[in-house]
Amino acid sequence: MKFKSCDIQSMESRYRAQFINSLSGFKSASLVGTHNKKGNDNLAIISSIFHVGANPPLLGMILRPHSVRRDTLENIQQMGSYTINHVNSQIIKQAHQTSARFDADISEFAETGLTPFFSDSMAAPYVMESNVKLGMQLESIQNLEINNTELLIGRIVEVIIEENAIRDDGYVDIESLDTATISGLDSYHSTRRIDRFEYAKVGKPVKSI
């Protein structure tokens, strides 16, 4: 089956959203924790977090257009800090529920039964039940004119993770930590490693680690 641009554009909006969101493949499943100047905590499921660079350690995140109230974006703009928490198979229902449109003064932590956790060096709340917790400092917000979404780039300033998940070469085995993934808008998956390879070099056969 072949879809041309006109076919995609003529799709019903929710159908098109599911269709296009599925095409990019598996995406990260993360809960982003924020708070505002009033002391209200917020938690949101985000599937658009990606690596930007290792030195300095940067992660990017795409948020939907700021045409309506966006608590996550507004809180990060106010406070400059946030947390990224990997979703695991034990909390996928609670994580998905954070996408409901709660009022700004309602804590998604309280509504979903997830537990806020604060470290000494981060004002924004972590998710206690997450096995990979990243403390982030906002570095840049850029509006993408092509569709009016917001690109946020943050610096990793703190990592909370089980030491035995870190391999000798620095590789973090997130599969051993039960990190889940997302496809489309609402489908959650566990993972299974197929293989891991040495650094590729011209003229040298690919070798498993």
Side-chain angles (χ1 to χ4, degrees):
M1 183 175 288
K2 181 186 292 185
F3 296 91
K4 295 181 181 271
S5 180
C6 59
D7 299 319
I8 295 172
Q9 200 57 41
S10 65
M11 292 175 177
E12 187 273 327
S13 61
R14 294 303 298 171
Y15 183 97
R16 182 173 60 243
Q18 280 282 17
F19 181 74
I20 297 300
N21 267 278
S22 301
L23 295 179
S24 61
F26 294 114
K27 299 169 287 187
S28 61
S30 301
L31 286 164
V32 173
T34 62
H35 73 141
N36 60 24
K37 291 180 179 178
K38 296 180 179 179
N40 296 323
D41 295 331
N42 178 264
L43 195 60
I45 182 77
I46 302 289
S47 63
S48 61
I49 294 171
F50 53 93
H51 170 83
V52 174
N55 187 24
L58 302 174
L59 296 178
M61 175 169 63
I62 299 291
L63 296 179
R64 286 181 288 178
H66 198 191
S67 54
V68 297
R69 194 191 87 234
R70 302 285 185 202
D71 294 332
T72 297
L73 175 61
E74 292 171 16
N75 290 355
I76 294 173
Q77 287 175 320
Q78 277 186 29
M79 308 303 292
S81 64
Y82 55 103
T83 69
I84 296 173
N85 307 267
H86 285 206
V87 174
N88 58 60
S89 65
Q90 304 303 306
I91 59 172
I92 55 173
K93 287 185 177 180
Q94 297 98 312
H96 187 73
Q97 183 62 16
T98 66
S99 63
R101 295 183 179 179
F102 295 104
D103 291 339
D105 59 348
I106 299 296
S107 169
E108 285 82 1
F109 284 99
E111 291 297 313
T112 62
L114 294 171
T115 311
F117 162 74
F118 294 89
S119 77
D120 294 337
S121 54
M122 283 296 299
Y126 289 105
V127 177
M128 176 70 79
E129 292 82 0
S130 174
N131 296 323
V132 182
K133 306 176 181 69
L134 310 176
M136 307 295 300
Q137 185 67 41
L138 178 66
E139 294 290 338
S140 173
I141 298 180
Q142 302 173 36
N143 178 262
L144 303 183
E145 294 183 2
I146 191 169
N147 63 354
N148 216 30
T149 53
E150 304 288 341
L151 166 61
L152 281 70
I153 298 176
R155 180 190 296 256
I156 300 173
V157 296
E158 183 173 71
V159 178
I160 302 174
I161 190 172
E162 293 181 17
E163 186 176 358
N164 61 10
I166 306 171
R167 302 297 174 248
D168 291 342
D169 62 354
Y171 171 73
V172 178
D173 185 1
I174 60 173
E175 186 174 62
S176 71
L177 297 171
D178 193 31
T179 290
T181 186
I182 293 176
S183 66
L185 295 170
D186 49 23
S187 183
Y188 295 80
H189 306 260
S190 60
T191 65
R192 183 180 66 84
R193 182 183 298 104
I194 298 172
D195 211 335
R196 186 178 176 220
F197 301 113
E198 289 183 344
Y199 187 82
K201 294 182 179 180
V202 175
K204 183 179 178 180
V206 174
K207 186 177 180 181
S208 297
I209 297 175

